[in-house]
Amino acid sequence: MAETANHHWPALETDTIRVFRAPAEFIDSDHPSLVACAGRIRRQTAAATAVAIFEFVRDLPYEGDDFEDLAIFRASHVLAVGHGYCVSKASLGAALARAAGIPARIAFADVRNHLASPRLLRVFGTDTFAWHGYVEMWLGQRWVKASPTFDAATCR
C-alpha cells in the first residue's frame, strides 16, 4: 500500500474509501478553517489523530440549535460557533478526520439517553432518542465508532 503524503499510515485506494475521504456538503472537510484545525490536531499516527479529533470535538459544549436552519449540520459552522449536538458534532468529527486524511462517515443509531433532562423526557416522551449521530473512522482496516456528543460538563 502507498503512503499518503505527510502521513504515517497506509493509504486506502478503493472507490468506497475515496468517498469517505472526499468533502461533501455538510462534511465540508476542504473548508479552510477545518483544514487548519485538522493540521493543528494531527498526530504521528492515524489512531492518535483520531483520538485527538474525538477529544477536540467532545470538548465542545453540547448545545442544540435551531433545527430548521440546516447550517447547524455543516462542520465548518459547528467549528465557527464552537458548540453542537450529536449530529452536528459527528459532522465536525468526520470533516476533521477527512481533512487529516482519515476516511470517515456519519452513522446513526437509536440510543437510550440516561442523561436526558426532565424537560427532554417530557418533550420526547421517552428516553430512547432516534437518529443519534456519531462518527466512524477507518482505522486498522475497520470502521471504529466514536460518539463525541457529550462534553465533560454535560457528563458531570
Side-chain angles (χ1 to χ4, degrees):
M1 295 180 134
E3 284 288 316
T4 304
N6 299 319
H7 299 287
H8 300 281
W9 55 85
L12 303 169
E13 297 304 327
T14 68
D15 288 339
T16 301
I17 292 301
R18 272 192 212 104
V19 167
F20 297 115
R21 286 184 187 267
E25 181 176 357
F26 293 98
I27 303 173
D28 53 342
S29 55
D30 59 346
H31 191 280
S33 66
L34 292 166
V35 171
C37 185
R40 290 188 301 273
I41 293 172
R42 185 177 288 137
R43 302 295 184 260
Q44 291 296 314
T45 66
T49 299
V51 170
I53 289 168
F54 169 81
E55 290 172 346
F56 175 83
V57 175
R58 178 204 61 201
D59 291 343
L60 295 176
Y62 176 78
E63 187 176 319
D65 228 323
D66 176 8
F67 294 106
E68 293 179 14
D69 180 5
L70 294 181
I72 70 164
F73 300 108
R74 188 165 287 110
S76 57
H77 174 81
V78 178
L79 184 63
V81 299
H83 64 80
Y85 81 110
C86 66
V87 175
S88 57
K89 289 176 89 171
S91 178
L92 177 58
L96 289 171
R98 289 181 185 188
I102 301 170
R105 63 189 183 189
I106 295 176
F108 297 95
D110 294 347
V111 297
R112 296 198 64 195
N113 187 343
H114 67 282
L115 299 173
S117 68
R119 183 185 67 79
L120 277 178
L121 291 173
R122 279 193 307 278
V123 168
F124 288 110
T126 180
D127 68 348
T128 300
F129 289 18
W131 294 100
H132 166 69
Y134 61 95
V135 63
E136 292 183 326
M137 293 179 255
W138 185 257
L139 300 166
Q141 303 300 308
R142 65 186 178 95
W143 290 107
V144 176
K145 296 172 175 64
S147 185
T149 301
F150 297 121
D151 59 274
T154 300
C155 289
R156 277 192 297 277

